[in-house]
Amino acid sequence: MSFKSVQHPLIKVEGVGKQYTIGHENVGGSLRERIHDTATAIFRPGTRKPKSETFWALQNINFDVHPGEVLGIIGRNGAGKSTLLKILSRITEPTTGRVTLRGRVASLLEVGTGFHPELTGRENIFLNGTILGMTRAEIHAKFDEIVSFAEVERFLDTPVKRYSSGMYVRLAFAVAAHLDPEILIVDEVLAVGDVAFQKKCLDRLQAIAGDEQRAVLLVSHNLNAVLQLCTKVLFLADGQLRASGDPADVVRGYFGSLKPTTPVTSLALLPRSGALHGAARLLSARLADAEKSSDWQIPFGHPISLEFRICVTRRLDELEIGLGLFHLQGFELCSSLSSWSHPLGPIEAGDYQLKISYPTLPLLPGTYRIGVGLRSERDLEDYLPEAFELEITESPLSARRKLSSVRGALAFEITATLQPIPETP
């Protein structure tokens, strides 16, 4: 029997559910609407809409996290991830079920939560440490490490309200990750900051995860980080636990839930990512030049064409669309920008159809995720990291090349020549 199997879990979640009440009272509205509602209530009792209804943000969630484990939680926006983290962080209580936490908990749900804007960086380090249950001596022992990680030495005695967003993020993560909690709960911290900072975060989380007396719970849309860090993953959808277990298997199932089922896929309500200006927005996508576009399938070796409907709300001097192709295991295969071949612009406000084509894209048969973004001269306007999925199917060409036995995701054609080497006299 392994050592971990006889240890008590640091986090134990049993039958947890969370119910909220959604109000429907029409405080505004026209006078005509209010008169109609009042008359309906008087003359047709029982037909008036209720003023409120209940909504289950989470239902019957069960899982354990043992010492030395890193649990990843994935799912689309609105799946219940943030609600679950708030319950685990004791910000809100569950409606049903029970949560057992063994050890000190540090939560980084929203970067900078618990910081006082009028206090300096130095004072906020001690404030946060105290909130987390650390003694002043313990905070002093970690103080230099926190400051070095955050790279805010010059501004340590400046009120944090004057910090840049990057400085704020670095200091908040440094405090939460260096005060040695038994349980560290992190929500989307890897989506902020520059690339160098994100790498530092990953390295620090790996160091914490390597300690067999601690546990990390990570929520992130960065599936590369989830696959790299996590020992187990949960997939939440509509407040319910849809899958749990091996990270690669759960991520693959999560991607499978993104596959379009109609010829035109609406993008308007899908979750966005990043700091967006919003002057150009992706509304829908469809697979062009396909016999059965509802299946979103392309035979191997065929060119791929996609049509997007976009809305532009102001004049833009230039616009480019970028696409990223991701393997079902989470890693990015390639990226492409329309500006490499054909710059677009200037563009006036209005609705447009934007068509892009891959003349040759030797993807092996399988399912792939597509991320799409729009960028203007002002920087990123819109970005959907999980727009939809595309399936590459077998074709006579793939059968002839026996690609079913080939490993990887890409099969580039190469040219080989063979020439004899003259004998040396």
Side-chain angles (χ1 to χ4, degrees), residues 141-270:
K142 291 289 183 179
F143 187 85
D144 290 342
E145 288 183 48
I146 293 170
V147 174
S148 176
F149 185 95
E151 301 174 5
V152 294
E153 292 92 339
R154 290 179 56 196
F155 307 96
L156 196 56
D157 295 306
T158 300
V160 297
K161 68 180 181 181
R162 299 197 177 99
Y163 282 17
S164 69
S165 58
M167 294 163 60
Y168 209 87
V169 165
R170 293 198 302 269
L171 184 60
F173 182 86
V175 172
H178 283 80
L179 294 180
D180 292 336
E182 281 75 30
I183 301 169
L184 177 61
I185 300 174
V186 182
D187 184 11
E188 283 298 0
V189 70
L190 300 177
V192 294
D194 55 28
V195 174
F197 170 72
Q198 291 180 16
K199 185 178 185 305
K200 287 179 70 173
C201 289
L202 283 171
D203 291 343
R204 180 61 190 172
L205 290 176
Q206 284 181 318
I208 296 172
D211 187 335
E212 292 195 354
Q213 301 307 310
R214 307 183 191 279
V216 177
L217 198 151
L218 171 67
V219 168
S220 180
H221 287 289
N222 184 343
L223 296 177
N224 285 332
V226 169
L227 289 167
Q228 180 180 345
L229 287 172
C230 297
T231 56
K232 183 169 65 174
V233 172
L234 306 182
F235 169 27
L236 292 182
D238 300 322
Q240 300 183 20
L241 182 58
R242 295 295 176 86
S244 65
D246 177 74
D249 292 340
V250 176
V251 168
R252 191 178 299 113
Y254 169 57
F255 283 154
S257 69
L258 304 176
K259 187 175 180 180
T261 57
T262 59
V264 178
T265 295
S266 175
L267 306 178
L269 300 179
L270 294 185

Side-chain angles (χ1 to χ4, degrees), residues 76 258-272 281-287 296 307-309 382 384 386-389:
R76 287 191 165 183
L258 304 176
K259 187 175 180 180
T261 57
T262 59
V264 178
T265 295
S266 175
L267 306 178
L269 300 179
L270 294 185
R272 266 62 180 173
R281 189 170 175 85
L282 292 149
L283 301 180
S284 65
R286 67 179 295 268
L287 185 62
W296 286 77
E307 292 179 357
F308 296 92
R309 183 185 172 194
D382 197 12
L384 292 84
E386 300 169 358
F388 51 86
E389 285 189 356

